[in-house]
Amino acid sequence: MKRLLQIGILLACLAFLSWFGHRHLPWLDLNTCMADPERYDGALVEDFREPLIAAVYQDGFLLQQKNGPSIRVQADTAGLGLRKGAYVGLRARYHREGYLEALSLNVAEGRRRKIYLSLIPLLLLLPLLAWRFRWNVRGWYLEPRDNA
Amino acid sequence: MPDLITHTLVSHLLRRPLDWRSASRPWQGLRPLFYLGVLLPDILTRPFYIIFPVTKTWTIFLHTPAGALLACLLLTRLLREDLRRSAFFWIAGGALTHFALDALQKQVTGNNFWLFPFSWKNFSLPLLRPEDFMALIPLFLGLTLVLEAAFFVFRRRTPFTNR
């Protein structure tokens, strides 16, 4: 009973602080700006939803978000190696006319590769944990197996 | 943040020397939990916001030391009572090496809110880009092999159980 109470309290703390982080995040996101362009004209935007480059132009690119609106970004593209389909890290100023002016920009080269590579240790860890620990049904807890 | 292979290898290189003299201690059986801790901050956040980007702002807290420590405490509640204290130190130790390595990465926006929920100050020593870490994987792998070879030779000369 005491353990269940501890688990409940910890879950409540995690939930509250997740909400707190969401509510008081210092970054402004693009969707908020696009919902009220007049209010956020000139605002600094730092939060995007998995942003990637949909098209490259001479004076910038088209930024596409996953499950979100796209927007034109004005940027000095020389030497940045921008290419369609690449993920980007971006800080930009929003303009009510419906475009962003890039302040700092980084092409996240190899992000997909990084994600796939990251699956390897995860896939190795899960069997290792299953091999070293077992679930005690009667006590309702994990304990090391004899091989640990 | 660096990829999880880099996280795992670097954390292993940092932890493994601790086995030199204490491999036979009972709490060493919980070592796999250290690697769970190494991966934990990313396990709690990345899958969610990569698949559902709208959840990103909700998961940022879970990628802070405070969030990771609470998650460590929660995970240890699932273990047998006499193991919880040791397990907490293993998982938390792994998570702390994760944050230390993350702090070395160059980022356009911050990701190292070590004082959350009291401050959004970003703590970092931006030295490398994620792709630089990936390029260093062969080096970390080589160092790991050298370290393990040293352990293998040492073990043959002096069994751990006698130390």
Side-chain angles (χ1 to χ4, degrees), chain B residues 7-156:
Chain B
H7 270 299
T8 308
L9 291 175
V10 171
S11 301
H12 181 74
L13 287 168
L14 292 172
R15 187 205 64 77
R16 187 64 163 132
L18 297 177
D19 291 344
W20 203 261
R21 289 199 170 272
S22 56
S24 60
R25 305 268 168 82
W27 43 264
Q28 291 284 10
L30 300 175
R31 274 175 297 193
L33 296 177
F34 173 82
Y35 300 98
L36 175 65
V38 169
L39 307 184
L40 189 65
D42 283 358
I43 292 174
L44 293 174
T45 53
R46 306 296 172 234
F48 299 104
Y49 83 67
I50 287 173
I51 298 169
F52 308 108
V54 71
T55 61
K56 183 179 177 183
T57 53
W58 290 87
T59 59
I60 282 175
F61 153 67
L62 296 170
H63 199 278
T64 64
L69 289 178
L70 282 174
C72 291
L73 277 173
L74 182 63
L75 286 173
T76 56
R77 297 304 98 179
L78 301 177
L79 285 159
R80 203 173 64 207
E81 192 165 4
D82 60 313
L83 303 172
R84 288 179 198 160
R85 184 185 292 258
S86 304
F88 175 79
F89 286 113
W90 277 123
I91 304 173
L96 292 180
T97 63
H98 181 107
F99 291 117
L101 198 59
D102 271 2
L104 300 180
Q105 189 187 303
K106 286 180 183 172
Q107 288 167 325
V108 173
T109 50
N111 194 35
N112 301 294
F113 308 116
W114 290 357
L115 296 181
F116 179 90
F118 306 107
S119 166
W120 285 102
K121 182 175 166 49
N122 184 48
F123 290 86
S124 65
L125 183 67
L127 294 175
L128 298 166
R129 298 169 302 159
E131 48 269 33
D132 298 332
F133 280 110
M134 279 195 284
L136 288 172
I137 287 176
L139 172 67
F140 297 135
L141 206 53
L143 288 172
T144 303
L145 290 174
V146 168
L147 186 64
E148 291 304 320
F151 264 81
F152 180 73
V153 171
F154 179 78
R155 268 182 138 153
R156 283 178 56 148

Side-chain angles (χ1 to χ4, degrees), chain A residues 100-136:
Chain A
L100 291 170
E101 174 196 348
L103 300 176
S104 54
L105 174 66
N106 175 48
V107 178
E109 284 293 342
R111 186 168 186 270
R112 285 184 187 86
R113 193 159 26 112
K114 191 179 94 170
I115 292 170
Y116 294 130
L117 277 176
S118 294
L119 290 175
I120 296 171
L122 197 59
L123 293 174
L124 291 174
L125 179 70
L126 292 175
L128 176 66
L129 290 174
W131 181 53
R132 286 296 187 95
F133 295 92
R134 67 167 164 238
W135 184 254
N136 184 317

